[in-house]
Amino acid sequence: MMFMSGQMEHYLFHRGEYRQAYEYFGAHPNRSSTIFRIWAPAAKSVAVVGDFNNWNAREEDYCQKITNEGIWEVEIKKVKKGAIYKFQIETSWGQKILKADPYAFYSELRPQTASVVNGIPKFRWGDKKWLNNREIGYAKPINIYEVHLSSWKKKEDGTYYNYREIAELLVEYMLEMNYTHIEIMPITEYPFDGSWGYQATGYYSVTSRYGTPEDFMYFVNYFHKNNLGVILDWVPGHFCKDAHGLYRFDGSACYEYEDQNLGENEWGTANFNVSRNEVRSFLVSNLYFWIKEFHIDGVRMDAISNMIYHKDGVSENRASIEFLQYLNQSLHENHPDIMLVAEDSSAWPLVTKYQADGGLGFDFKWNMGWMNDTLKYIEQDPFFRRSHHGKLTFSFMYAFSENFILPLSHDEIVHGKNAILNKMPGYYEDKLAHVKNLYSYQMAHPGKKLNFMGNEFVQGLEWRYYEQLEWQLLKDNKGSKDIQNYVKALNTLYLEEKALWHDGQNAFEWIEHENIDENMLIFLRKDPDTDDFIIAVFNFSGKDQDKYPVGVNLEGEYECILDSNEKRFGGSYQGRKRNYKTIKSAWHNREQYIEVKIAKNSTIFLKHKKGNEED
């Protein structure tokens, strides 16, 4: 089939298969003019208004309808980069409404709502080495630091750091703390700070709160040059209903469902109608845009359960399921090194399995069940934990059914749920010990890791999006500094020990999981390629154990390589690293055992000392 200029774009767009729609739609400036294109199928007329025509459409500002399916186009002379504009859309009943450009590459700073002529952003990249070596990393360390840019740190006068400025601060901190990836809460343009970016209006427009698109390119480039990955929060399921946005874009249900039972949700936003091909092209192209133009390493897709189920939470939304399968398969075919993560709170099976097998095709899934059960357990006083032991061990029943990320995310420290520290029982010193146990359990448990900013030094208050983190605690509060030091040590352990990177069933082995009365838990993590292993021993009780027996596979000597009760982490133990020799007697179905010393509410990590096996 032969196509004239533009016909291929129209054909693919209306089939839902256009992966670079942003290269055609939106505002594209050249030396002397700008070409504007938009999809508005129910519009009676479309014009472009802005600062170049005093927001009053002239005859030459009206678009021509170039396809029956509703694509409009106009080239306006002397409109250059930096011009401010909106589309003036006349509805079928004659009302004229002003809408921001869905494909705008830049937008005015809120509370202003107009789009800015920018063109596809350009940048001189220096991350070729990173991109050439990038891979998803199922058997690699992935330890994610989740960040909300405006509340991580602010300038002394309370204003935001630019993307370039905060990149350098974040990279320095993350390298010091030994994280591997940053996950940024949504930065697609959004009007209301209190939505945290999850209710967007400009899907192709990086928010102007922190600078220009080119500034954000610098951000990503700087991270890559320091061997750190960048993951974006992305919201493919729903969008906000602000008047200038996508909602009722041409007076009709253009991007959303006409049926409000399908189109409206509990957050007061509108659900994307992904059964409509043009909406599919919009979203697929958007994901390609962030990957191709901004070199993003992965996306965490928000609220997947809201997409795959209807309002009743029972009946499946087949259109959304098929869309996600198509989206993920397309990305994997063209960008096999990009990490696709589902935030799914449902029990939908096969989220991280191949589409051919009925799966959704994601690479990883947030393990919300692990997060909820673990927090419910750790919040109990040790005296009562024996009745909740199953909450700690149940996750292992399904731990290998998907490729999981274990999140301790922003959702758990807002809306009255308490900061991590204040979820813990007991006095202040007890709370600190419980936090270290929680983080140790997360690090040892199969699955990649994610922790929200501020958790690493136990910020005392819930997260507040309008204020920076309580950094002063690191100067004024020894407990916060102790926890930060322990998180740094845990992150270092994770980077150094390959046994903690492999998350399949062949990399895990129970040693003890039924000691309910003493709240003890012991398991082994191993590297299947080398048989190297680490034993994690957890004491979730309020009782010290002086000679606790641990069955081991190999005889010889075992070294305690990390103890959460060490003095440098605010604990009581300040002696040398302890070594334990095996005792030739069966225990835990093993031929020998060691007797370990472990304080109440603490964790120790043990490693076999090679070359010391007995003859």
Side-chain angles (χ1 to χ4, degrees):
M1 186 181 294
M2 297 295 293
F3 292 89
M4 302 295 288
S5 176
Q7 285 188 308
M8 176 62 85
E9 288 84 353
H10 304 161
Y11 175 77
L12 292 173
F13 180 68
H14 293 305
R15 281 180 60 88
E17 297 173 0
Y18 199 4
R19 298 171 181 174
Q20 291 86 35
Y22 64 90
E23 295 179 356
Y24 183 73
F25 290 98
H28 296 272
N30 52 47
R31 289 184 179 180
S32 59
S33 64
T34 296
I35 297 175
F36 297 87
R37 296 190 188 95
I38 198 66
W39 174 63
K44 193 172 182 181
S45 72
V46 176
V48 183
V49 296
D51 56 0
F52 52 87
N53 59 13
N54 293 319
W55 300 93
N56 290 305
R58 306 161 298 187
E59 183 179 349
E60 61 266 31
D61 301 325
Y62 275 85
C63 300
Q64 178 186 359
K65 191 175 183 180
I66 60 175
T67 72
N68 293 331
E69 295 86 357
I71 296 177
W72 302 77
E73 177 186 273
V74 66
E75 182 175 5
I76 304 177
K77 303 293 184 183
K78 297 182 180 179
V79 173
K80 298 181 180 180
K81 185 174 180 179
I84 299 170
Y85 72 100
K86 283 185 178 180
F87 286 101
Q88 175 187 283
I89 296 177
E90 184 182 5
T91 67
S92 59
W93 60 90
Q95 181 185 4
K96 292 183 177 180
I97 56 179
L98 295 180
K99 291 287 188 176
D101 183 356
Y103 289 89
F105 300 118
Y106 196 42
S107 304
E108 284 189 297
L109 178 64
R110 54 93 177 92
Q112 305 304 316
T113 58
S115 303
V116 179
V117 174
N118 188 79
I120 298 174
K122 303 295 181 184
F123 184 77
R124 189 169 183 175
W125 292 92
D127 61 349
K128 187 175 181 179
K129 182 178 179 182
W130 169 268
L131 297 180
N132 286 342
N133 293 301
R134 183 171 64 184
E135 58 182 336
I136 292 173
Y138 296 112
K140 296 285 185 181
I142 297 178
N143 188 6
I144 303 166
Y145 188 52
E146 187 191 15
V147 171
H148 179 255
L149 287 180
S150 61
S151 59
W152 183 71
K153 191 172 285 189
K154 283 184 168 70
K155 295 182 179 180
E156 288 187 6
D157 61 2
T159 58
Y160 298 155
Y161 283 101
N162 178 277
Y163 289 114
R164 295 172 184 259
E165 298 169 325
I166 204 166
E168 297 179 9
L169 296 173
L170 273 166
V171 164
E172 180 182 10
Y173 183 71
M174 288 180 60
L175 290 177
E176 177 191 350
M177 294 298 296
N178 293 307
Y179 290 103
T180 64
H181 294 71
I182 188 172
E183 181 179 308
I184 310 169
M185 292 170 68
I187 55 169
T188 47
E189 193 58 78
Y190 58 100
F192 177 49
D193 290 0
S195 78
W196 314 334
Y198 289 101
Q199 299 183 11
T201 51
Y203 271 72
Y204 290 83
S205 179
V206 62
T207 180
S208 54
R209 286 168 173 79
Y210 318 115
T212 67
E214 292 77 13
D215 290 335
F216 183 61
M217 287 173 160
Y218 176 94
F219 180 103
V220 177
N221 190 61
Y222 192 77
F223 267 74
H224 286 175
K225 290 174 75 172
N226 285 278
N227 296 313
L228 294 168
V230 180
I231 301 168
L232 288 188
D233 251 357
W234 188 61
V235 188
H238 62 103
F239 55 89
C240 74
K241 295 164 62 176
D242 288 49
H244 68 285
L246 299 176
Y247 189 67
R248 298 278 161 177
F249 184 75
D250 57 6
S252 71
C254 191
Y255 286 88
E256 69 275 21
Y257 292 93
E258 183 67 53
D259 183 351
Q260 289 195 354
N261 287 322
L262 299 175
E264 306 289 323
N265 60 54
E266 61 183 303
W267 305 301
T269 56
N271 296 326
F272 277 111
N273 180 4
V274 293
S275 66
R276 194 164 194 174
N277 286 340
E278 294 83 1
V279 176
R280 290 165 66 103
S281 288
F282 174 82
L283 288 170
V284 171
S285 294
N286 187 241
L287 192 47
Y288 273 82
F289 170 73
W290 291 107
I291 292 166
K292 179 184 175 185
E293 307 300 338
F294 287 88
H295 295 197
I296 294 303
D297 303 296
V299 292
R300 174 262 197 189
M301 299 192 202
D302 181 64
I304 293 301
S305 57
N306 180 65
M307 294 183 69
I308 60 180
Y309 289 105
H310 290 300
K311 268 186 180 180
D312 59 14
V314 177
S315 56
E316 298 175 359
N317 186 332
R318 292 307 308 176
S320 289
I321 292 167
E322 291 168 6
F323 168 70
L324 290 170
Q325 290 174 326
Y326 168 75
L327 174 68
N328 292 340
Q329 182 172 335
S330 169
L331 258 295
H332 283 143
E333 288 173 355
N334 292 276
H335 298 283
D337 55 347
I338 296 299
M339 187 190 313
L340 302 176
V341 182
E343 188 265 320
D344 174 27
S345 57
S346 76
W348 179 272
L350 309 178
V351 171
T352 60
K353 306 305 178 184
Y354 291 118
Q355 293 88 339
D357 298 325
L360 293 181
F362 286 93
D363 299 301
F364 295 99
K365 173 184 174 177
W366 272 24
N367 194 336
M368 313 291 276
W370 172 88
M371 178 181 69
N372 291 325
D373 286 348
T374 302
L375 288 176
K376 285 177 183 176
Y377 176 85
I378 206 78
E379 289 170 7
Q380 300 296 320
D381 187 280
F383 183 80
F384 299 107
R385 283 178 179 167
R386 67 181 311 276
S387 302
H388 301 269
H389 196 75
K391 289 186 175 67
L392 199 63
T393 58
F394 179 67
S395 60
F396 291 95
M397 297 291 289
Y398 60 87
F400 312 107
S401 63
E402 304 275 11
N403 302 321
F404 282 119
I405 290 175
L406 309 179
L408 291 170
S409 72
H410 66 275
D411 279 328
E412 297 314 302
I413 55 170
V414 291
H415 304 320
K417 294 180 183 178
N418 269 329
I420 289 289
L421 180 71
N422 291 323
K423 293 177 185 289
M424 304 298 137
Y427 295 109
Y428 182 68
E429 292 75 13
D430 299 318
K431 292 178 183 289
L432 294 175
H434 294 313
V435 169
K436 288 183 286 185
N437 248 7
L438 169 65
Y439 293 168
S440 301
Y441 183 61
Q442 179 193 35
M443 195 59 72
H445 193 290
K448 307 307 180 186
K449 324 301 174 187
L450 179 142
N451 216 341
F452 185 58
M453 64 180 199
N455 287 349
E456 77 275 14
F457 60 85
V458 287
Q459 175 163 297
L461 298 172
E462 285 190 345
W463 170 56
R464 295 158 295 173
Y465 70 89
Y466 47 86
E467 293 182 8
Q468 73 167 8
L469 298 181
E470 298 177 273
W471 292 105
Q472 73 277 5
L473 289 175
L474 292 172
K475 296 180 179 178
D476 302 340
N477 189 293
K478 184 178 181 299
S480 288
K481 189 64 180 176
D482 289 338
I483 296 294
Q484 187 194 47
N485 286 337
Y486 186 63
V487 170
K488 188 188 302 184
L490 272 178
N491 292 351
T492 302
L493 178 73
Y494 181 63
L495 282 180
E496 292 176 347
E497 298 296 340
K498 291 184 179 181
L500 297 174
W501 306 350
H502 294 264
D503 295 316
Q505 198 156 6
N506 63 343
F508 172 83
E509 191 176 307
W510 276 120
I511 296 177
E512 181 173 80
H513 65 282
E514 293 181 329
N515 190 345
I516 295 173
D517 292 327
E518 294 182 288
N519 300 342
M520 295 292 295
L521 199 71
I522 309 170
F523 56 78
L524 179 150
R525 296 295 310 279
K526 58 186 175 182
D527 177 359
D529 298 327
T530 65
D531 290 330
D532 195 22
F533 63 90
I534 285 179
I535 296 173
V537 184
F538 301 91
N539 183 354
F540 288 104
S541 77
K543 173 187 173 184
D544 293 338
Q545 297 285 357
D546 195 40
K547 290 186 176 182
Y548 195 84
V550 178
V552 293
N553 294 332
L554 299 178
E555 60 183 346
E557 197 169 13
Y558 287 77
E559 178 185 8
C560 178
I561 57 175
L562 186 63
D563 182 347
S564 67
N565 189 47
E566 291 179 48
K567 194 77 172 177
R568 59 184 174 134
F569 308 132
S572 59
Y573 182 76
Q574 55 184 345
R576 288 182 169 186
K577 283 189 175 181
R578 298 184 298 278
N579 296 322
Y580 301 103
K581 289 186 177 181
T582 54
I583 299 168
K584 194 68 175 177
S585 182
W587 198 268
H588 291 143
N589 297 313
R590 289 157 176 84
E591 294 181 357
Q592 54 273 315
Y593 70 95
I594 56 176
E595 292 181 331
V596 302
K597 180 181 178 67
I598 183 168
K600 62 181 181 180
N601 302 319
S602 70
T603 303
I604 59 173
F605 293 90
L606 305 169
K607 191 169 184 179
H608 183 252
K609 297 182 73 174
K610 291 186 177 180
N612 68 88
E613 295 88 346
E614 297 177 11
D615 296 328

